Amino acid sequence: MCGSSGESGLRLGPAVDGDMDAAARVLGLALSGHDSADRLRRAAKALAGGAGFVAQVGEDVVGAACVTSNAKGYELALIAVEEHWRGRGVGRQLLTHIVDVLGVDELYAETDRDSVGFYRAMGWTISSLGEKYPGVERFDCRWRAPAA
């Protein structure tokens, strides 16, 4: 994998063939709840379509993300970071890398209550979608680049 590198030895770049199994395993960390099968299909499609990104330390994939494009814009379909790497800025760096590489000025995502804090800390706007599934509140998260 090629890509940018930080002080921690974190390398960011596109998910390539050799990364796919590890990226899918990391993305599996984000899959829970009632829509896991659908999200897994979308993640697999995004990875296969070349819209997958990984964060690596050495040869280990420690973070992964999938972005899809549709009529509503660019969707951050999934993002996940290995548990022992959370809180170290891996997700933040991965999102920044994706925005830079794709050149997008807007992204959206749907998430659960457990992940709202991450998006809020990144400056995203959060709106409740209500109880989409019995007992499960979902949230619409939107990011827009600051005006130049």
Side-chain angles (χ1 to χ4, degrees), residues 15-39:
V16 296
D17 286 343
D19 299 328
M20 295 303 179
D21 288 343
R25 180 186 51 74
V26 171
L27 288 172
L29 299 172
L31 298 172
S32 63
H34 299 281
D35 62 337
S36 295
D38 177 56
R39 293 181 76 203

Side-chain angles (χ1 to χ4, degrees), residues 76-95:
L76 180 63
L78 285 171
I79 185 168
V81 174
E82 286 280 3
E83 191 168 345
H84 61 278
W85 281 92
R86 292 179 190 164
R88 297 184 187 184
V90 173
R92 178 180 298 274
Q93 290 179 62
L94 194 52
L95 273 179

Side-chain angles (χ1 to χ4, degrees), residues 4-5 15 34 45 77 126 137 141:
S4 58
S5 184
H34 299 281
K45 182 178 178 182
I126 313 298
E137 183 179 13
C141 306

